Amino acid sequence: MKLFCLQDTETWLRQVQEDLKKISLEITSTQEYETPREEMLALEDRNTRLATIKGQYELIDEALNSSLSKNLADENTKSVLKFIQAMTRLKKDEGFGRIVGTTYNGIKKELIDKFVLQTVGKAKISQDVKVPNALFFYGPPGTGKTTFAKSLAEQSCSHIDLVDAGRVSPEEALAQIKEKALTAKANYEKSGADKKRTFIVINEADSVALRGSDTSYDFIRFLQDCSEKYKCTLFLTTNAPLDIDPEILSDKVTPIKVALIPADKQTAISVLLLPNTMSFKTSNSLVVIGLLIFSQLEKNLSSIAIFLGIL
């Protein structure tokens, strides 16, 4: 994505304010709807997008009021403004624009606020903000875990990489991950004041994170500090969360967990999920009832689960 090479912070600020104002006017423009439901869904979508703009303004304000030295603060502010401008200039089919429908608005809003703005964005201002080593996406096959993970990475306006762990041996998958982490560190250093991180999407992460395996032990050691050491965060996706080593499911390693649980539109399902899970329902004819029971054993998360698929 091409950004204007503007020289001073005030020019950047005016550019971003104009972008945000334009989007706000577009969102709040008066429209006519055929049904009350259409109007309700449009209102929900508008509120989600306006909440994102509010968060962007708050991040700009924090950057402008940074307590760092003037020159450094100026660089941090430029970095944040460029970051937000990149977000505003995502095309309609980029980032979370890939995820159609309003069913996903709640989870998208929460991730944009808690992860994209409050974590990735604030990390450009302060070294005290720690970006997680990994995020965890889980659910039955065909629910769009990889697409959702890629969309979040794109929404964060960061470098994106991918490892199909299920297509190679666990050892080869881990070697690929480590190699891409080295590339991520090099890209971060090249980005200078922009502090552009990398998100590596790991398909079928259970391949390298299988509980009790030698590969899992090495993978856990790598995950302990990959964010700080390599400036990358791993987006782990799996159909089999119960096969994942419990230490990887700890809040220390994966503080954000996203569950994609299919459910019939007319069916109300109560699901007990992994701690700190953000969940939402996708709409198809398959009803999947998930029962996840977790207990704390020797400070590690132990899990038992039953999935019942009803056609």
Side-chain angles (χ1 to χ4, degrees):
M1 180 179 298
K2 293 182 179 179
L3 297 176
F4 294 114
C5 297
L6 305 174
Q7 296 301 313
D8 59 61
T9 304
E10 289 185 4
T11 307
W12 272 107
L13 181 59
R14 286 194 295 271
Q15 278 280 322
V16 174
Q17 287 175 330
E18 284 299 315
D19 284 346
L20 292 174
K21 182 179 179 181
K22 181 179 178 182
I23 294 174
S24 298
L25 290 173
E26 175 189 326
I27 295 171
T28 55
S29 61
T30 304
Q31 297 182 39
E32 293 185 3
Y33 302 95
E34 293 185 3
T35 66
R37 176 173 174 75
E38 276 188 14
E39 185 173 4
M40 179 190 72
L41 294 176
L43 180 62
E44 184 179 322
D45 179 64
R46 185 187 73 176
N47 290 340
T48 298
R49 295 172 68 189
L50 287 174
T52 298
I53 291 176
K54 179 176 180 290
Q56 290 170 326
Y57 269 117
E58 289 172 352
L59 183 59
I60 291 172
D61 187 59
E62 185 165 342
L64 291 171
N65 291 295
S66 172
S67 60
L68 300 174
S69 64
K70 187 177 185 301
N71 290 336
L72 185 56
D74 189 55
E75 287 302 312
N76 286 341
T77 303
K78 285 182 184 178
S79 176
V80 168
L81 291 172
K82 289 168 90 173
F83 172 66
I84 291 177
Q85 188 176 60
M87 284 183 66
T88 64
R89 294 185 177 185
L90 284 170
K91 296 177 181 177
K92 289 186 177 181
D93 60 349
E94 292 178 334
F96 278 146
R98 296 179 185 274
I99 311 298
V100 298
T102 56
T103 305
Y104 309 91
N105 279 348
I107 192 71
K108 288 191 287 186
K109 178 179 178 295
E110 196 167 356
L111 283 171
I112 288 174
D113 180 44
K114 291 186 177 179
F115 182 72
V116 178
L117 295 174
Q118 299 298 321
T119 303
V120 179
K122 283 192 175 182
K124 296 178 182 293
I125 304 172
S126 171
Q127 294 181 348
D128 294 334
V129 177
K130 303 301 181 185
V131 181
N133 291 305
L135 274 66
F136 190 64
F137 299 79
Y138 67 102
T143 51
K145 294 179 293 296
T146 300
T147 299
F148 201 89
K150 285 181 178 178
S151 298
L152 176 58
E154 205 167 55
Q155 187 70 41
S156 303
C157 302
S158 303
H159 295 294
I160 305 171
D161 219 329
L162 175 70
V163 174
D164 278 318
R167 295 180 178 270
V168 295
S169 69
E171 293 77 16
E172 173 60 24
L174 184 55
Q176 287 184 24
I177 293 169
K178 290 180 177 180
E179 182 179 350
K180 291 180 184 297
L182 289 172
T183 302
K185 183 178 181 180
N187 287 334
Y188 181 88
E189 292 171 350
K190 287 178 184 177
S191 71
D194 289 347
K195 303 176 183 178
K196 196 168 185 179
R197 302 177 64 88
T198 296
F199 298 116
I200 306 174
V201 180
I202 314 297
N203 279 339
E204 299 180 60
D206 45 287
S207 173
V208 291
L210 188 66
R211 63 169 62 215
S213 67
D214 291 339
T215 311
S216 176
Y217 175 74
D218 290 340
F219 188 48
I220 290 169
R221 288 195 302 171
F222 169 80
L223 278 176
Q224 295 301 320
D225 62 353
C226 67
S227 177
E228 183 63 29
K229 186 175 181 179
Y230 299 106
K231 306 303 179 184
C232 69
T233 294
L234 273 53
F235 287 180
L236 310 177
T237 75
T238 182
N239 302 328
L242 307 179
D243 293 339
I244 300 291
D245 193 296
E247 192 168 344
I248 293 174
L249 299 179
S250 69
D251 290 345
K252 180 180 178 181
V253 179
T254 53
I256 297 177
K257 302 170 184 70
V258 181
L260 283 77
I261 308 297
D264 186 88
K265 290 181 179 179
Q266 304 302 319
T267 305
I269 295 179
S270 177
V271 186
L272 298 178
L273 300 163
L274 292 167
N276 286 343
T277 290
M278 300 177 184
S279 67
F280 56 87
K281 299 174 184 177
T282 59
S283 54
N284 61 31
S285 60
L286 177 66
V287 179
V288 174
I289 302 177
L291 172 61
L292 303 177
I293 305 173
F294 296 90
S295 61
Q296 190 76 19
L297 296 175
E298 297 179 354
K299 297 183 180 180
N300 284 327
L301 195 63
S302 177
S303 60
I304 301 172
I306 300 171
F307 279 96
L308 301 176
I310 305 173
L311 290 174

